[in-house]
Amino acid sequence: MNSFGLLYRITSFGESHGAAIGGIIDGIPAGIKIDLDLVQKELDSRRPGKSELTTSRNEKDRLEILSGFRGNTTLGTSIGFLVRNTDIKSEDYDALQDIFRPGHADYTYQMKYGICAESGGGRSSARETVARVVSGAFAQQILQQWHDIQIDSQIQEIGGEISPEAQKEAILQAKKEGDSVGGIIECRVKNIPIGLGAPVFDRLEADLAKAMLSIPATKGFEIGSGFASARMKGSEHNDEMEMKQGKSVFLTNNAGGILGGISNGEDIVFRVAFKPASTIQKLQQTVNKNGEEVTLENPGGRHDPCVVFRAVPIVEAMCAHVLLDHVLRSRATTSPIK
Amino acid sequence: MNSFGLLYRITSFGESHGAAIGGIIDGIPAGIKIDLDLVQKELDSRRPGKSELTTSRNEKDRLEILSGFRGNTTLGTSIGFLVRNTDIKSEDYDALQDIFRPGHADYTYQMKYGICAESGGGRSSARETVARVVSGAFAQQILQQWHDIQIDSQIQEIGGEISPEAQKEAILQAKKEGDSVGGIIECRVKNIPIGLGAPVFDRLEADLAKAMLSIPATKGFEIGSGFASARMKGSEHNDEMEMKQGKSVFLTNNAGGILGGISNGEDIVFRVAFKPASTIQKLQQTVNKNGEEVTLENPGGRHDPCVVFRAVPIVEAMCAHVLLDHVLRSRATTSPIK
Amino acid sequence: MNSFGLLYRITSFGESHGAAIGGIIDGIPAGIKIDLDLVQKELDSRRPGKSELTTSRNEKDRLEILSGFRGNTTLGTSIGFLVRNTDIKSEDYDALQDIFRPGHADYTYQMKYGICAESGGGRSSARETVARVVSGAFAQQILQQWHDIQIDSQIQEIGGEISPEAQKEAILQAKKEGDSVGGIIECRVKNIPIGLGAPVFDRLEADLAKAMLSIPATKGFEIGSGFASARMKGSEHNDEMEMKQGKSVFLTNNAGGILGGISNGEDIVFRVAFKPASTIQKLQQTVNKNGEEVTLENPGGRHDPCVVFRAVPIVEAMCAHVLLDHVLRSRATTSPIK
Amino acid sequence: MNSFGLLYRITSFGESHGAAIGGIIDGIPAGIKIDLDLVQKELDSRRPGKSELTTSRNEKDRLEILSGFRGNTTLGTSIGFLVRNTDIKSEDYDALQDIFRPGHADYTYQMKYGICAESGGGRSSARETVARVVSGAFAQQILQQWHDIQIDSQIQEIGGEISPEAQKEAILQAKKEGDSVGGIIECRVKNIPIGLGAPVFDRLEADLAKAMLSIPATKGFEIGSGFASARMKGSEHNDEMEMKQGKSVFLTNNAGGILGGISNGEDIVFRVAFKPASTIQKLQQTVNKNGEEVTLENPGGRHDPCVVFRAVPIVEAMCAHVLLDHVLRSRATTSPIK
């Protein structure tokens, strides 16, 4: 299924080299003012081709809103939108059509569907994230307007490096070698209301984990203390509380802002691991559709030595998506009606 | 919402000290033979009170099937089941009713619902996992019958220790100190058919991530190379392929068995991080419902220095759940009808 | 799937001669007071065996609540409940096990599932409506508390008769003949807030239609002017408006309280057609599982000449279900947050 | 929510005078060949402006497929599509912007959303059915290819008239008077496999009822014997069975092809009542947004004296939608795997 979310829901479509990428957003109340320039800006920040550090594909990605608005105000109906694919050079890929590129979904798509898009990665291309960024940008604006929620993601690591300089060096080195590097993004959410989330299956961290692992190239998710918690004692890990100016506060935040699946008012903090991009220019051993072993000499298409920068707006978008969905759920079912 | 899964779905209910924990399973085809003794055995392995290493609460947990079966064969209708709570000593908890226990969901439940169960952790207690283990045990048997799928989880780390002896030592030490330790479980799935999963939002690893992070006390999830992938180069990370006895095979499995959200036929391998149990016997600083600072002297109830052992069947259950759901989806929509 | 509703959701289980009928209710906010005696009373009114006009099966139907409550107040968690089947005389049915009873689901269940419950109608028995009545009774109380919504169903026709005396006569006549009669129930909802419902697929009348046609033995649904509207002119049918004491009001209610899928504040009025009960004592020609023609001499079990009385609480329950679901949806997504 | 269906799902968007109407279709397996000309033809038959009997708005409605296809073969991914709105004369409607037109959703939309589209009926316009017709046309082709299922709808009544000549007369008369007439459509499905549907909530007739009542201007639904069943005796209504050439067959079809929510192999037969179109040219008394009583003199826009013709492809589309959804569900969960 190509939908995400229960009450705030994006349904998306689009192959990388098809006519367009787009989606339908459901669940935005009527009468909300949206700054569409800001949405376009988020789209731009996802776009490759802006610096020496990323691929040179220049997609422009102009957002076209097809419904759900009167001026800049939502109507309460579903919002249809699309972004045309304008920079399609399918010949770049043609030679590759029959080869299962290592790290890509070519093999699994072929085995599952028995057919693939005419060129490009089709639905498995990260280009599908265009739709997520649009719906996430809407969500971010609504979260800000309603609760002043701030979502801020930072690159924590690239190629194992912590400092920006070393990270840039690692990327340029990988580019020179025709190789790629991965990284880790940390996302922090401020001003989150207490009480978002649910017990049992729809815990807030569970929905965030699904959202993050649904982003292409992700390999891991951790909340708060994360994997490090496995090496801590309960007495170190438990976040103690005290009263401060008449308000209960936590002394630490190993929980990452969520207890028992429900936000506790502290910052929500989580990290997402991205593998190095699968498209590289080094020789790779693989097989093709005819069951022949082949050497992939030059994967062609564009080569992006590090996708982590471009993933930042996607992480924020998916985070906003989950949060707005839970804000809407809370409005529906949590509080006794006044 | 208290449901999990699209086509194979468990809906559950039950507070830790209420009358019963139970659930309804939807999506099992008619005519499947289920060994209910094996289901009970899985339940037993989740149960505390079996050794010096775990809490002494002895819940018995006898499974009662209320519908959906004729003998040991499924009818194709929904399966209602319950497990009575028999060992309820609510007085153990009474003194704690007004205190927000560190690491527990007391605070967030109070803020969200403004009311809590009469005693015990209510819905936030790990006792809710009884329902997951039942539906997961059903799923495991079906996966085995249909595809010989084997799900096998191992404790990889406890208290930072790798060897069983050191792990046991760490647990006993924590017990002596009234403290607790966390750990990491690795789950491996063999004989998985190629083609399970979906592009974009319902990627197999995304659904596994949600399933795992919905288990109480989990703080992280990683698939295949996981967080380590962030420090690898593309040329190291990409799993190359070759032909072997006329079949395409992967030379490595950094992907963890999933490419582009879809299983590639290799073992699915993932790891889940568990924090140390929140209930400890050390003094802890916290606050109560009246906004007073209090010292939690003796949390009472049972104290389990390490919940990781008991989590093993839960990890396997939730994994089986996700896989069967995707097997059913594949049957519905993937292959052209024959 | 055995679930109904998006935000207010009942998931049910149970075969007519199994251990129990039950369900899980999701979506009730915390802190709601429920009069459980009233719920039991609704259950009792659904029960057969109370008069000469209905079957003599005496099921008692004592409601057992398993979770989600503290005293009579909801916890905000899922509510598990069950009703034991106490009056099971499966021998009544044994002789029928292999015969496809006309009007019953025996044939379609056998063809779909290839297996049936040990005795009785299994999941196809109207006994499953026990779970609907419980969740509907909860919904009715909440609708009343929040909006003073009143749901009132009346029998409009039985055996083609309008007057109660003639209806009773028709039923007794049918009973004497070993036959059965159908009827029509009209349901009217007062004090409905304006704005419930949704455009396009989840129109309020569409969800009501689904709810009603999911009740056993129903054959038709109409809202407001219903089938008669097909013979009216637009100028007759359109409900004109005027101002009355500063408020806009409708002069007529052909719409049945819903315009464009959304409640307009007028009474919601709809009608449901029930076929005559399928179990009769007249000779009927049919076939059995072995592909032999047989004459069904005495269907055994209980014989209820008219199920329409017992359907009244079920119609109200399902109506309440749909309305509360839409009230919750409205709270989530309609109005701009204050 | 703007989605319909569980496994075969259409999600739609679009206001009548916005940029476009469109949707996303989910659930079509890969490798299916679709004749897109036939889909366009269905769209054309929904289009007004083709004869003196319908409105003169000429929308063209050229279908643009944006994803999910390679040539005429499905990729197994979501199918995005749109139809541009080309004949937008919003000035026709401008004078009406503040008036609640009788029979239309203007009032309820205003009360629910507090904002309306710039012109036209917005999301409440029947123009949204464009998206349904597209996804229904896809479904019809798949049902035909897989099971040779034939869906055939006929107009049974217009303005109370049975014969085509009298119907035409009634429409022309209504047109002359500036009035409108309603009607009844009967839909018959042949070659339906036995076993589609589900017990309890997702009965096939329940899903059909929802589908039909979600179509604009519908007021009633009945299956098989329908409302007439309420006046029949069980002995008349029950469909008896016999063996014919080694196959069990039904002697009558009062069930309308569905027993216990599951198809029994007989033709599925149902009827849908349509009210007379709300837009008429007669004087009507109503109120406006300012709470003033006004006389609606000339509703402007286009006036279609009878929408029932145009509803035929919509009824078939929604019927196909429900059936394909249940075919996919059956593939997933019904039969034991071979």
Side-chain angles (χ1 to χ4, degrees):
Chain A
M1 293 313 212
N2 293 275
S3 296
F4 184 85
L6 178 69
L7 291 183
Y8 184 62
R9 187 185 291 173
I10 173 70
T11 303
S12 75
F13 70 85
E15 278 78 48
S16 58
H17 290 70
I21 300 285
I24 300 176
I25 298 169
D26 224 323
I28 300 189
I32 308 280
K33 288 197 190 319
I34 299 286
D35 182 337
L36 293 171
D37 291 340
L38 276 182
V39 178
Q40 180 67 56
K41 216 173 130 184
E42 286 293 319
L43 263 187
D44 293 344
S45 76
R46 192 213 67 91
R47 226 175 62 197
K50 294 173 308 173
S51 82
E52 61 179 342
L53 299 181
T54 58
T55 165
S56 58
R57 182 171 179 183
N58 188 333
E59 289 155 326
K60 287 200 192 75
D61 289 350
R62 208 179 57 75
L63 174 65
E64 199 180 334
I65 301 277
L66 300 170
S67 70
F69 273 87
R70 176 171 186 156
N72 63 349
T73 305
T74 59
L75 291 171
T77 57
S78 53
I79 296 170
F81 67 89
L82 60 80
V83 170
R84 294 274 170 190
N85 291 326
T86 54
D87 182 32
I88 306 168
K89 299 188 197 152
S90 61
E91 63 272 28
D92 288 2
Y93 290 89
D94 280 357
L96 301 175
Q97 279 289 305
D98 286 342
I99 297 178
F100 300 136
R101 293 168 298 160
H104 283 279
D106 304 340
Y107 177 71
T108 50
Y109 270 58
Q110 180 63 31
M111 298 303 281
K112 185 177 182 80
Y113 300 116
I115 183 175
C116 66
E118 282 167 56
S119 61
R123 190 74 175 135
S124 76
S125 162
R127 189 150 171 75
E128 56 88 352
T129 58
V130 160
R132 304 174 187 238
V133 169
V134 173
S135 70
F138 279 57
Q140 270 187 277
Q141 292 192 32
I142 298 169
L143 292 169
Q144 233 161 358
Q145 287 176 39
W146 286 358
H147 297 292
D148 195 27
I149 291 172
Q150 304 294 333
I151 300 173
D152 188 31
S153 293
Q154 302 289 344
I155 290 177
Q156 194 176 62
E157 248 185 55
I158 283 183
E161 303 293 345
I162 306 296
S163 84
E165 290 75 17
Q167 288 173 355
K168 186 175 172 183
E169 191 56 40
I171 296 168
L172 291 174
Q173 180 64 22
K175 190 178 184 183
K176 210 173 68 185
E177 294 171 2
D179 214 332
S180 62
V181 287
I184 296 172
I185 292 175
E186 181 174 278
C187 185
R188 178 175 291 268
V189 187
K190 290 178 183 301
N191 300 335
I192 197 85
I194 304 175
L196 293 190
V200 190
F201 302 115
D202 292 354
R203 288 163 186 258
L204 197 50
E205 67 268 44
D207 282 355
L208 286 169
K210 166 154 181 166
M212 295 307 139
L213 266 294
S214 80
I215 299 174
T218 53
K219 300 301 287 180
F221 168 89
E222 57 179 14
I223 179 103
S225 54
F227 276 86
S229 75
R231 287 143 210 159
M232 293 167 79
K233 297 222 166 145
S235 56
E236 295 169 85
H237 191 272
N238 284 347
D239 299 312
E240 294 186 304
M241 300 183 81
E242 65 177 12
M243 298 304 295
K244 210 166 178 173
Q245 300 169 323
K247 250 190 77 187
S248 51
V249 294
F250 290 89
L251 302 184
T252 49
N253 187 16
N254 285 314
I258 303 174
L259 273 173
I262 297 166
S263 63
N264 67 7
E266 297 293 305
D267 289 357
I268 291 179
V269 186
F270 61 85
R271 278 166 299 283
V272 187
F274 288 83
K275 69 174 183 180
S278 299
T279 300
I280 57 175
Q281 283 163 349
K282 290 191 152 179
L283 296 191
Q284 294 182 90
Q285 175 183 351
T286 187
V287 304
N288 67 18
K289 289 186 192 169
N290 304 321
E292 299 157 338
E293 299 192 340
V294 292
T295 299
L296 186 59
E297 295 188 51
N298 181 339
R302 293 81 176 183
H303 163 231
D304 194 339
C306 180
V307 296
V308 185
F309 294 100
R310 296 174 56 197
V312 168
I314 306 168
V315 164
E316 293 182 357
M318 292 307 292
C319 174
H321 220 293
V322 169
L323 294 178
L324 182 55
D325 193 18
H326 277 278
V327 165
L328 295 177
R329 295 192 204 190
S330 267
R331 292 175 64 183
T333 63
T334 300
S335 50
I337 209 164
K338 303 288 189 290
Chain B
M1 293 313 210
N2 293 277
S3 295
F4 185 85
L6 178 69
L7 291 183
Y8 184 63
R9 187 185 291 174
I10 173 71
T11 303
S12 76
F13 70 85
E15 278 78 48
S16 58
H17 290 70
I21 299 284
I24 301 176
I25 298 169
D26 224 324
I28 300 189
I32 308 281
K33 289 198 189 317
I34 299 288
D35 181 338
L36 292 171
D37 291 340
L38 275 182
V39 179
Q40 181 66 55
K41 214 172 132 184
E42 286 293 319
L43 262 186
D44 293 344
S45 76
R46 192 213 67 90
R47 225 176 61 197
K50 294 173 309 174
S51 82
E52 60 179 343
L53 299 181
T54 58
T55 166
S56 57
R57 182 172 179 181
N58 189 334
E59 289 155 326
K60 288 202 191 73
D61 289 350
R62 209 179 56 75
L63 175 65
E64 198 180 334
I65 301 277
L66 301 169
S67 70
F69 273 88
R70 177 172 185 154
N72 63 349
T73 306
T74 59
L75 291 172
T77 57
S78 53
I79 297 170
F81 67 89
L82 59 79
V83 170
R84 295 273 170 190
N85 291 325
T86 54
D87 182 32
I88 305 168
K89 299 188 196 149
S90 61
E91 64 272 27
D92 288 1
Y93 290 90
D94 279 356
L96 300 176
Q97 279 289 304
D98 286 341
I99 297 178
F100 299 136
R101 293 168 298 159
H104 283 279
D106 304 340
Y107 177 71
T108 50
Y109 269 57
Q110 180 63 29
M111 298 302 281
K112 186 179 182 80
Y113 300 115
I115 182 174
C116 66
E118 282 166 56
S119 61
R123 190 73 175 134
S124 76
S125 162
R127 187 147 172 76
E128 56 88 353
T129 58
V130 160
R132 305 174 186 237
V133 169
V134 173
S135 70
F138 279 57
Q140 269 187 278
Q141 292 192 32
I142 298 169
L143 291 169
Q144 234 162 358
Q145 287 176 38
W146 286 358
H147 297 292
D148 194 27
I149 291 172
Q150 304 294 333
I151 299 173
D152 188 31
S153 292
Q154 302 289 344
I155 290 178
Q156 194 176 61
E157 250 185 53
I158 282 183
E161 303 292 346
I162 306 295
S163 84
E165 289 76 17
Q167 288 173 356
K168 186 174 174 184
E169 190 55 40
I171 295 168
L172 291 174
Q173 180 65 21
K175 191 177 183 185
K176 209 171 70 185
E177 294 172 2
D179 214 332
S180 63
V181 287
I184 296 172
I185 292 175
E186 181 174 279
C187 184
R188 178 175 292 269
V189 187
K190 289 178 183 302
N191 300 336
I192 197 85
I194 303 176
L196 293 190
V200 190
F201 302 115
D202 291 354
R203 288 164 186 257
L204 197 51
E205 67 268 46
D207 282 355
L208 286 169
K210 167 155 180 161
M212 295 307 138
L213 266 295
S214 80
I215 299 174
T218 53
K219 300 301 287 182
F221 169 88
E222 58 178 14
I223 178 103
S225 54
F227 276 86
S229 75
R231 288 145 209 155
M232 293 167 80
K233 295 221 168 145
S235 57
E236 296 169 84
H237 191 272
N238 284 347
D239 300 312
E240 294 186 304
M241 300 182 80
E242 65 177 13
M243 298 304 296
K244 210 166 177 175
Q245 299 170 321
K247 251 189 77 187
S248 52
V249 294
F250 291 89
L251 302 184
T252 50
N253 187 16
N254 285 313
I258 303 174
L259 273 173
I262 298 166
S263 63
N264 67 8
E266 297 293 305
D267 289 358
I268 291 179
V269 185
F270 61 85
R271 277 166 300 282
V272 188
F274 288 83
K275 70 174 183 181
S278 300
T279 300
I280 57 174
Q281 283 162 350
K282 291 191 152 181
L283 296 192
Q284 293 182 90
Q285 175 183 352
T286 187
V287 304
N288 66 18
K289 288 186 193 171
N290 305 320
E292 298 157 338
E293 299 192 339
V294 293
T295 298
L296 186 59
E297 294 188 53
N298 183 341
R302 293 81 176 183
H303 163 230
D304 195 338
C306 181
V307 296
V308 186
F309 294 100
R310 296 174 55 197
V312 168
I314 306 169
V315 164
E316 293 182 356
M318 292 307 292
C319 174
H321 219 294
V322 169
L323 295 178
L324 182 55
D325 193 17
H326 277 279
V327 165
L328 295 178
R329 296 191 203 190
S330 268
R331 291 174 65 184
T333 63
T334 299
S335 50
I337 209 164
K338 302 292 190 292
Chain C
M1 292 315 209
N2 293 276
S3 296
F4 184 83
L6 179 69
L7 291 183
Y8 185 63
R9 186 185 293 173
I10 173 70
T11 303
S12 75
F13 70 85
E15 276 79 48
S16 58
H17 288 71
I21 299 284
I24 300 176
I25 298 169
D26 223 324
I28 300 189
I32 308 281
K33 289 199 190 315
I34 299 288
D35 181 337
L36 293 171
D37 291 339
L38 276 182
V39 179
Q40 180 67 54
K41 214 172 133 184
E42 287 293 319
L43 263 186
D44 294 344
S45 76
R46 191 213 70 88
R47 227 176 59 198
K50 293 172 309 174
S51 82
E52 61 179 344
L53 298 180
T54 58
T55 166
S56 59
R57 181 173 179 182
N58 189 334
E59 288 154 326
K60 289 201 191 76
D61 289 350
R62 207 179 56 76
L63 174 63
E64 197 180 334
I65 301 277
L66 300 170
S67 70
F69 273 88
R70 176 172 185 153
N72 63 350
T73 306
T74 58
L75 292 172
T77 57
S78 53
I79 296 169
F81 67 89
L82 58 80
V83 170
R84 296 273 169 191
N85 291 325
T86 54
D87 183 33
I88 306 168
K89 301 190 196 150
S90 60
E91 63 273 27
D92 287 2
Y93 290 90
D94 279 357
L96 300 174
Q97 278 290 304
D98 286 341
I99 298 178
F100 300 135
R101 294 168 298 159
H104 283 279
D106 304 341
Y107 177 69
T108 50
Y109 270 57
Q110 179 64 29
M111 297 303 280
K112 186 179 183 77
Y113 300 114
I115 182 173
C116 66
E118 281 166 57
S119 61
R123 190 74 176 134
S124 77
S125 161
R127 186 146 173 76
E128 57 88 353
T129 59
V130 160
R132 304 173 186 240
V133 170
V134 173
S135 70
F138 279 57
Q140 269 187 277
Q141 291 192 32
I142 298 170
L143 291 169
Q144 234 161 355
Q145 288 177 38
W146 286 358
H147 297 291
D148 193 28
I149 292 172
Q150 304 294 333
I151 299 173
D152 189 31
S153 293
Q154 302 289 344
I155 290 177
Q156 194 176 62
E157 249 186 55
I158 283 182
E161 304 292 346
I162 306 294
S163 84
E165 289 75 17
Q167 289 174 358
K168 186 174 174 183
E169 191 54 42
I171 295 168
L172 291 174
Q173 180 65 22
K175 191 178 182 182
K176 210 172 67 184
E177 294 171 2
D179 214 331
S180 62
V181 287
I184 295 172
I185 292 175
E186 180 174 279
C187 184
R188 178 175 293 269
V189 187
K190 289 178 183 302
N191 301 336
I192 197 85
I194 305 176
L196 293 190
V200 191
F201 303 114
D202 292 354
R203 287 163 186 260
L204 198 50
E205 68 268 46
D207 282 353
L208 286 168
K210 166 154 181 162
M212 295 307 139
L213 266 293
S214 79
I215 299 174
T218 54
K219 300 302 287 181
F221 168 90
E222 58 178 13
I223 178 104
S225 54
F227 276 86
S229 74
R231 287 143 211 158
M232 294 167 80
K233 295 224 168 143
S235 57
E236 296 169 84
H237 191 272
N238 285 346
D239 300 312
E240 293 186 304
M241 300 182 81
E242 65 178 13
M243 298 304 298
K244 210 168 179 174
Q245 299 170 322
K247 250 191 79 186
S248 51
V249 294
F250 290 89
L251 302 184
T252 50
N253 186 17
N254 286 313
I258 303 174
L259 273 173
I262 296 166
S263 62
N264 67 7
E266 296 293 304
D267 290 357
I268 291 178
V269 185
F270 61 86
R271 278 166 300 282
V272 187
F274 288 82
K275 69 174 184 180
S278 301
T279 300
I280 57 176
Q281 282 163 350
K282 291 191 150 181
L283 295 191
Q284 293 182 91
Q285 174 183 353
T286 187
V287 303
N288 66 17
K289 288 187 194 171
N290 304 320
E292 299 157 339
E293 299 191 339
V294 292
T295 299
L296 186 59
E297 295 189 51
N298 182 342
R302 293 81 177 182
H303 164 230
D304 194 340
C306 180
V307 296
V308 185
F309 294 100
R310 295 175 55 197
V312 168
I314 305 170
V315 165
E316 294 182 356
M318 291 308 290
C319 174
H321 219 295
V322 168
L323 294 178
L324 181 55
D325 194 18
H326 277 279
V327 165
L328 295 178
R329 295 191 204 191
S330 267
R331 291 174 64 185
T333 63
T334 299
S335 51
I337 207 165
K338 302 289 191 293
Chain D
M1 292 317 211
N2 293 276
S3 296
F4 184 84
L6 178 70
L7 291 183
Y8 185 62
R9 185 184 293 173
I10 173 70
T11 303
S12 76
F13 70 85
E15 277 78 49
S16 58
H17 289 69
I21 300 285
I24 300 176
I25 298 169
D26 224 325
I28 301 189
I32 308 281
K33 288 199 188 317
I34 299 289
D35 182 337
L36 293 171
D37 290 341
L38 275 181
V39 178
Q40 181 66 55
K41 214 172 133 184
E42 287 292 320
L43 263 187
D44 294 344
S45 76
R46 190 212 70 89
R47 226 176 61 198
K50 294 172 308 172
S51 83
E52 61 178 344
L53 299 180
T54 58
T55 166
S56 60
R57 182 172 178 183
N58 189 333
E59 289 154 324
K60 289 201 190 76
D61 289 350
R62 206 180 57 76
L63 174 64
E64 197 180 334
I65 301 278
L66 301 170
S67 69
F69 273 89
R70 177 172 186 155
N72 64 349
T73 306
T74 58
L75 291 172
T77 57
S78 53
I79 296 169
F81 67 89
L82 59 80
V83 169
R84 295 274 169 191
N85 291 326
T86 54
D87 183 32
I88 307 167
K89 300 188 197 150
S90 60
E91 62 273 27
D92 287 4
Y93 290 89
D94 280 357
L96 300 175
Q97 278 290 303
D98 286 342
I99 297 178
F100 300 135
R101 295 167 298 159
H104 283 280
D106 304 340
Y107 177 69
T108 49
Y109 269 57
Q110 180 63 31
M111 298 303 280
K112 186 179 182 78
Y113 300 115
I115 182 173
C116 67
E118 282 167 56
S119 61
R123 189 74 176 134
S124 77
S125 162
R127 187 149 172 74
E128 57 88 352
T129 58
V130 159
R132 305 175 186 239
V133 169
V134 173
S135 69
F138 279 58
Q140 269 186 277
Q141 292 192 31
I142 298 169
L143 291 169
Q144 234 161 356
Q145 287 177 38
W146 286 358
H147 298 291
D148 194 28
I149 291 172
Q150 304 293 333
I151 300 173
D152 189 31
S153 293
Q154 303 288 344
I155 289 177
Q156 194 175 62
E157 248 185 56
I158 283 182
E161 303 292 347
I162 306 294
S163 85
E165 289 75 16
Q167 289 174 355
K168 186 175 173 183
E169 193 54 42
I171 295 168
L172 291 174
Q173 181 65 22
K175 190 178 185 183
K176 210 173 68 185
E177 295 171 1
D179 215 331
S180 62
V181 288
I184 295 172
I185 292 175
E186 180 174 279
C187 185
R188 178 175 291 270
V189 187
K190 290 179 183 300
N191 301 336
I192 198 84
I194 304 175
L196 292 191
V200 191
F201 303 113
D202 291 355
R203 287 163 186 260
L204 198 50
E205 67 268 46
D207 282 354
L208 286 168
K210 166 155 181 161
M212 295 307 138
L213 266 293
S214 79
I215 299 173
T218 54
K219 300 302 287 181
F221 168 89
E222 58 178 15
I223 178 102
S225 54
F227 276 86
S229 75
R231 288 144 211 156
M232 294 167 78
K233 294 222 170 146
S235 56
E236 296 169 84
H237 191 272
N238 284 346
D239 299 313
E240 294 186 305
M241 299 182 82
E242 66 177 12
M243 298 304 296
K244 208 167 179 174
Q245 299 169 323
K247 250 189 78 186
S248 50
V249 294
F250 290 90
L251 302 184
T252 50
N253 186 17
N254 286 313
I258 303 174
L259 272 173
I262 297 166
S263 62
N264 67 6
E266 295 294 304
D267 289 357
I268 291 178
V269 186
F270 61 87
R271 277 165 301 282
V272 187
F274 288 82
K275 70 175 184 180
S278 300
T279 300
I280 58 176
Q281 283 163 350
K282 290 191 152 182
L283 296 191
Q284 293 182 91
Q285 175 183 353
T286 187
V287 304
N288 66 17
K289 288 186 193 170
N290 304 319
E292 298 157 338
E293 299 192 339
V294 292
T295 300
L296 186 59
E297 295 189 51
N298 182 339
R302 294 82 176 181
H303 164 230
D304 194 339
C306 180
V307 296
V308 185
F309 294 100
R310 295 174 56 197
V312 168
I314 305 170
V315 165
E316 294 182 357
M318 291 308 290
C319 174
H321 220 294
V322 168
L323 295 179
L324 181 55
D325 194 17
H326 276 279
V327 165
L328 294 178
R329 295 190 203 191
S330 268
R331 291 174 64 185
T333 62
T334 300
S335 51
I337 207 164
K338 304 290 192 284

